[in-house]
Amino acid sequence: MCGIIGYVGTSIRSQFLIQGLRRLEYRGYDSAGLAVHQSDRFYLKRKIGRVIELEKVVDDVPLQTGIAHTRWATHGGVTEENAHPHLSFDQRVILVHNGIIENSKQFQTKLKESGIELQSETDSETLSHMIANLYSGKGPFGEDIDLETKGNPLESIRQCLRLARGTWGLAIMFVDRPNELFVARNGSPLVIGVGDQARYVSSDPHAILPFTKQVIFLDDGDIAHVVQDDVQLSRLDGGTTNKLIETLEEEWGDGEKGDFPHFMIKEIFDQPEAIRQCLRGRMVHDEGMAKLGGLDMEPKDFLSLSSVTLLGCGTSFHASSVGALAIERLARIPARAEIASEFRHRNPVIDSDSMFFAVSQSGETADTLGAIREIQIKGGTTMGIVNVVGSSIARSCGRGVYIHSGPEMAVASTKAFSNMISAMYLFTLQAARVRTISSAQGQHFCSEFQEMPEKVDRYLQKPGILDPIVEVLAKAKIIFFLGRGFSAPVAAEGALKLMEVAYIPCVAYPSGEMKHGPIALLEKGTPVIIIAPNDPLKHKTISSLHECKARGAIIILIHTQGDPIASEGDYSIAVPECSELFSPLLTVLPLQLLSYKVGLALGRDIDRPRNLAKSVTVE
Ligand code: AGP
């Protein structure tokens, strides 16, 4: 979603802001813009479309203080006027904003009544005018009252934001303060990078990682005054706050495509190594045990657990569904996965012996953050299962497990799915070893787990003949995905992936549900992808396969290598053998590859599908 980059420091060139925006591109956006402070004015450029379009119109100007933004439209269409930065009516204040100002309609009305002509349809623009009014000593809507905000940027920002309802990550410049940046956070992440005679600001630590690893994470309600060699923090209510400078952990993997044409395919092929990174140092084979230090849990804590709830959205919800099955199956703890965006709105019952995991690749998903907040309000224990180190979810949970997938840049999540499952399986092993399984059973689990990266690699090296299937899928009006047990969430994940990347309507069901309604949609030639690894439910899934076949469906069957059921499919894809529990790590692979290839065949924007964003920071 929207991204912010800001700079204050020794003189460099405007191109720096473009570079910063490039590192935010993966998040999804539809317009971009930047502003550079120039003695008595701001150099301002905005453009709809990609950063490259902006780059074409930006001159090579010196940069000492500047802000830039990628916008994902919420209030108002995709137009140049709605793109950020937004300049105040008196040209003295300019800002970029992530988040949503819920009461901006009132602000717009009052600003118009005061004679200000709004230039955009956005909620964000209102803040620039209000701050400018306050900075000139007037009321926020131009009222003639003498306020002590006159010439005081921090107090002007505070007074403005105290009136606002909603979320913000803000970076603001004042024309008469050439070497100063002001930032504020509430519900939308912001991080300040500490460099040598330079400070960087971003909504995403990834964007400033090439320049510095020393960072200050802002919390909700924080405001900061940033100059090239200092950061002064304070609170929206006027209080003070201190924060440590943290060192960003060195990430495994890189955020570059290398020799791959797209991030998505690179990340699919990252999976063997990504799973290895997740397991590294976390299993004690001799004891048949896992150790997740970030959970900080003693064996007795596992014994007293009454239930586990895993909360996530999209792919993270699907991975959670797999994790819940494993936890309940092996550790015998009642476990369920819940869609985070639904959870918080149903006044959930929170039991003090339950454990709640917030599962998220980006660690910034607003719906998941909202669920955490609700649990915390009700006194529950939340832990994160997160990829992005230092992200809002990781920080608000305090404890948890990093999945260590390395940066995932494609909007369609692939390696994070595998690593979320891997992290949840480590938790499963740790809990099960305390509660239910013997050392020998634990050792068996460890051995099989350790073999998985090689099996994932083996499949990716020989994925089977996919092109004829791609041809069938690319022509389809609708595609079904069916699976049972551990394969039901994999079916859902396959459908999500293909919809995202190829824009084809896809329907996923636990296969037993097909006959209860969805089968009415089947026509001769409808592709049905059936996930039936060699598990105890396979024969039931095959009954569903026959029901679809009898109605003329084209069956694409994903099965275990060497299984004679291969002949049941019009097209069959074999994955290496493994136990039922680990099968999602393999059966998801052909689905990821097919989505990628169908998207490619249809000429889709693979890494940045339309209307989507990498981290969904609005509810
Ligand atoms: C996955 O391909 C999607 N882009 C999306 O469903 C994603 O998984 C969801 O928005 C949750 O994101 P998170 O893991 O960053 O919280």
Side-chain angles (χ1 to χ4, degrees), residues 313-316 359-365 368 393 411-413 420 493 496-497 500 612-616:
C313 302
T315 292
S316 302
V359 184
S360 175
Q361 188 288 127
S362 61
E364 300 297 347
T365 301
T368 312
I393 293 179
V411 164
S413 186
M420 283 169 183
E493 176 58 10
L496 175 70
K497 215 86 307 170
E500 277 185 299
L612 294 177
K614 183 64 183 163
S615 55
V616 184

Side-chain angles (χ1 to χ4, degrees), residues 599-613:
L600 209 58
L602 293 173
R604 306 302 191 217
D605 190 347
I606 302 279
D607 286 335
R608 291 191 289 265
R610 68 181 179 203
N611 305 334
L612 294 177

Side-chain angles (χ1 to χ4, degrees), residues 353-561:
D353 292 331
S354 292
M355 193 167 162
F356 295 87
F357 278 114
V359 184
S360 175
Q361 188 288 127
S362 61
E364 300 297 347
T365 301
D367 289 321
T368 312
L369 272 165
I372 295 172
R373 185 79 197 113
E374 183 65 17
I375 297 161
Q376 290 175 342
I377 285 173
K378 289 178 180 292
T381 309
T382 54
M383 306 252 187
I385 295 183
V386 173
N387 192 32
V388 178
V389 174
S391 55
S392 301
I393 293 179
R395 287 156 44 74
S396 69
C397 287
R399 287 191 284 163
V401 189
Y402 281 120
I403 66 169
H404 296 313
S405 317
E408 192 184 64
M409 312 302 280
V411 164
S413 186
T414 53
K415 60 179 177 174
F417 176 78
S418 300
N419 275 33
M420 283 169 183
I421 292 176
S422 300
M424 290 172 203
Y425 279 16
L426 288 168
F427 173 80
T428 302
L429 174 60
Q430 194 170 354
R433 186 69 183 87
V434 174
R435 296 170 59 102
T436 53
I437 64 173
S438 67
S439 132
Q441 287 168 312
Q443 283 168 3
H444 180 78
F445 188 102
C446 291
S447 302
E448 185 166 16
F449 210 169
Q450 244 136 14
E451 286 168 13
M452 290 313 295
E454 185 278 320
K455 288 186 182 179
V456 170
D457 196 32
R458 202 189 316 157
Y459 171 75
L460 290 174
Q461 295 313 320
K462 280 197 176 159
I465 299 165
L466 300 182
D467 290 347
I469 309 176
V470 171
E471 241 175 77
V472 171
L473 298 181
K475 286 194 290 234
K477 280 193 298 198
I478 184 168
I479 300 166
F480 280 87
F481 288 75
L482 304 180
R484 272 180 198 257
F486 281 86
S487 299
V490 177
E493 176 58 10
L496 175 70
K497 215 86 307 170
L498 194 52
M499 275 192 289
E500 277 185 299
V501 182
Y503 317 153
I504 299 173
C506 294
V507 183
Y509 272 96
S511 45
E513 278 295 289
M514 189 64 178
K515 58 187 176 297
H516 295 292
I519 201 162
L521 290 173
L522 272 196
E523 288 174 4
K524 198 169 172 335
T526 304
V528 180
I529 299 183
I530 297 187
I531 301 137
N534 198 5
D535 64 24
L537 297 174
K538 178 180 74 180
H539 294 292
K540 289 194 183 296
T541 306
I542 295 303
S543 304
S544 313
L545 180 153
H546 289 150
E547 287 158 15
C548 297
K549 208 173 189 173
R551 286 156 184 88
I554 297 175
I555 306 294
I556 296 144
L557 179 64
I558 296 170
H559 63 89
T560 303
Q561 189 127 42

